[in-house]
Amino acid sequence: MDYAKLLGFLFCILISIFVTPAQLQYCYSTGNFTTNSTYASNRKFILSTLASNASANGGFTTATFGQDPDKVYALALCRGDTSSESCAECVNATAQGIMIMCPNQKEAYFWGGGTELGPFCLVRYADRSFFGILELDPAILSSDDDNITSNLTQFDMIWERGIERTIKRASTGSCRPQFATEEEDLTNLQRIYSLMQCTPDISQSDCEVCLRQSVAAYLTCCHGREGGYVLIPNCNFRWGLRSFYNETVCPSPALPPGSSTMSRDSGGFAAGIVAIIVVSAVIFVAIAVFTTYVFFNRRKKKKARNADEFDTVECLQFDFSTIRDATNNFSIDNKLGQGGFGVVYKGRLSDGQEIAVKRLSKNSGQGDVEFKNEVILVAKLQHRNLVRLLGFCLEGTERLLIFECEPNSSLDNYIFDREKSSILDWKMRYKIVKGIARGILYLHEESRFRIIHRDLKASNILLDADMIPKISDFGMARLFELDQTQGRTSRIAGTIGYMAPEYVMRGQFSVKSDVFSFGVLVLEIISGRMNTSFSYGEDIQNLLTYAWNNWQDGRAIDIIDPVLRLGATPTEELIRCIQIGLLCVQVSEANRPTMGSVVFMLNSSGSLSLPIPSRPGIVTVNKDRDYSESTVVHDPSINSYAQLTDISEIDSR
């Protein structure tokens, strides 16, 4: 290393250790180690390897070293606009700094190389595996001293537009994984610059959640300032009114030599015109040939893909006799439940595996091809919080779906049962709420498809041996294109009490319809009462109005299941969850959060201020007319009132 590099390296160490430690490092208090211990030597070794590995692997690396209980997990991340050489220097200096600032803590993270332009690299270590796990706390925040002097309302609109674009680009990936910069014109002479980055080990959805958390944290502490940054273990966010990043990190494609100029002499000009005509003609013919090729090739591939899909799904097909034997000829003793689309039986295969068999009603009117398409769709959904399809049976008029059997049955058997409800303390219920939210988020945003479930309710949430929730029953699910936002149907099918107002009124459904159902489900889990278990009076009353009235009157604790009021239950967390549930059941779908925002709010641990909900949207049923008349009650603040009558095809499941 020459003297210039040595001086730069020493300067980087000085900056990391003496200038910024109070702002850029966090030493956890989860455990300590002694100076000459095995953990100390393991930490020193693994931190020494990060610089070279990070610079050689595009600015990001993870590593482990040692054996439990002295095993050390470490991670290094360089900001996406740094060179490999600068990355190595920053990580090396920060690794040295973190050992000085956190001398005997078993876990710490340090954003190093910090200057007025913000931090340039992250070094993190722990005695536990944190790879791929989204962690939103603790957060390190800083802001400029100067306040915005222009029209703050107009500034906020422009700022939010640029920030939203940066979040989308960073979470989906731009020229570098989960890193993005953005510029937004504030005036003709001034711009807003923003930069966001996530650690590449977390998913795109978790990246978006992390970035939105950092933005929310910044707005809570520093709204109105001329810049600042937020550092979270899995992401960082920086913005300002002056450029602070390498603007050539994502350069535009270079123009072909000579394409920006043309000779001014007549001969050169004429030659240029001829060249343009010839090239244009060649390009036109090439495009025509290419388009024709692509069209026929896509048709050929589509046929082959469909054939492959059906070949794949054939591997999931069971013989009817196998399932008949497994369920003891669909014995009434093996019946687990019944819905509008069929009966569910418990069974056991010859190898001892327990299964749940859904025997669809024979008058469903669904053809063989449609049934197989549904099987293909469900078989491709793989998530921890979705029930897993094992196979199907299609024989004559019999249509069977075979799922993994969840030993603890469905959620409604616990929360609505006085004896069993005591099994579910708040910690377990909160875990179930977050699991359901993650499963819905997967359907809406993370799977290969965008899927609207349309029948989320307690009886469709199964619980496995560890009480992990599994969303089931996709008989009413609708597949959306990835850029499609809503659909419409003339046949209203669903469960009274869970259906969103716009769905009952207009047959309009979207991801926000599922959000509404989720909100109802959250309030049921907290209260231990069914949405339709309340009596109807002159003032239409159900769980939603009951929860709203008590929450608005400051008596939210009255909503909580009496079982949960016993012991050291975190009341603030419960009330916060009630507020999230009420936000999900707003009348206007535009006012309901997305499931991404819901997951973010559930994981924010009270550090984020939530919006104030208004009166919920309510769908009630006239019992005397056997579900043929339904009324949708709107928020009084909205100048509309809709009444839906004679819904002859509504399915109450």
Side-chain angles (χ1 to χ4, degrees), residues 552-572:
Q552 188 181 39
D553 294 341
R555 295 181 287 107
I557 194 169
D558 291 345
I559 305 168
I560 301 171
D561 189 337
V563 172
L564 299 179
R565 300 179 200 171
L566 305 174
T569 301
T571 305
E572 290 185 5

Side-chain angles (χ1 to χ4, degrees), residues 19 33 53 114 128 134 199 238 271 379 389 412 473 563 578 585 607:
V19 178
F33 60 89
N53 290 336
R128 62 183 178 87
L134 175 62
T199 58
R238 171 81 168 103
L389 178 71
D412 60 320
D473 199 342
V563 172
I578 291 172
V585 295
S607 59

Side-chain angles (χ1 to χ4, degrees), residues 433-587:
V433 167
K434 291 195 285 189
I436 297 169
R438 286 192 295 267
I440 303 171
L441 178 62
Y442 171 81
L443 294 176
H444 288 182
E445 299 180 19
E446 297 175 356
S447 70
R448 292 176 53 190
F449 318 94
R450 173 170 289 177
I451 297 169
I452 314 301
H453 189 280
R454 293 206 302 163
D455 199 21
L456 290 166
K457 56 185 177 180
S459 60
N460 282 342
I461 306 299
L462 304 183
L463 301 172
D464 71 4
D466 298 318
M467 302 302 280
I468 294 172
K470 309 275 188 177
I471 300 172
S472 68
D473 199 342
F474 291 85
M476 285 172 46
R478 290 292 291 268
L479 177 65
F480 271 17
E481 298 293 334
L482 289 179
D483 58 350
Q484 186 180 355
T485 57
Q486 62 181 230
R488 192 179 297 271
T489 180
S490 59
R491 183 175 186 271
I492 311 300
T495 303
I496 295 297
Y498 292 92
M499 294 186 293
E502 70 276 3
Y503 181 47
V504 176
M505 284 193 298
R506 303 183 296 275
Q508 179 181 311
F509 57 91
S510 66
V511 292
K512 295 297 185 72
S513 308
D514 281 353
V515 171
F516 185 94
S517 302
F518 174 78
V520 176
L521 191 51
V522 168
L523 295 175
E524 288 185 331
I525 292 171
I526 293 173
S527 67
R529 301 184 67 176
M530 297 179 68
N531 185 38
T532 54
S533 67
F534 291 74
S535 60
Y536 297 91
E538 293 182 1
D539 295 328
I540 297 173
Q541 178 80 296
N542 65 3
L543 177 58
L544 304 190
T545 53
Y546 176 76
W548 160 256
N549 290 334
N550 281 278
W551 185 84
Q552 188 181 39
D553 294 341
R555 295 181 287 107
I557 194 169
D558 291 345
I559 305 168
I560 301 171
D561 189 337
V563 172
L564 299 179
R565 300 179 200 171
L566 305 174
T569 301
T571 305
E572 290 185 5
E573 192 173 67
L574 268 162
I575 294 176
R576 179 180 175 83
C577 211
I578 291 172
Q579 187 172 350
I580 293 173
L582 288 172
L583 287 170
C584 292
V585 295
Q586 299 292 277
V587 174

Side-chain angles (χ1 to χ4, degrees), residues 343-361:
V343 181
V344 181
Y345 298 90
K346 184 177 182 179
R348 184 185 296 272
L349 298 175
S350 57
D351 61 0
Q353 182 177 11
E354 290 191 342
I355 57 175
V357 180
K358 186 171 186 179
R359 192 180 194 183
L360 302 184
S361 57

Side-chain angles (χ1 to χ4, degrees), residues 183-254:
E183 300 176 15
E184 193 75 26
D185 288 331
L186 184 60
T187 66
N188 291 333
L189 301 176
Q190 194 171 41
R191 286 182 171 182
I192 299 174
Y193 300 86
S194 58
L195 177 150
M196 293 184 177
Q197 184 175 22
C198 297
T199 58
D201 58 320
I202 62 174
S203 66
Q204 291 183 355
S205 61
D206 281 348
C207 177
E208 181 175 355
V209 169
C210 190
L211 293 174
R212 292 193 183 280
Q213 167 78 342
S214 65
V215 172
Y218 174 82
L219 291 174
T220 301
C221 86
C222 316
H223 180 231
R225 300 295 178 85
E226 286 193 349
Y229 59 77
V230 178
L231 310 174
I232 295 177
N234 285 111
C235 67
N236 72 95
F237 157 53
R238 171 81 168 103
W239 82 275
L241 298 180
R242 300 185 304 276
S243 179
F244 56 86
Y245 49 78
N246 178 11
E247 297 180 5
T248 61
V249 66
C250 295
S252 301

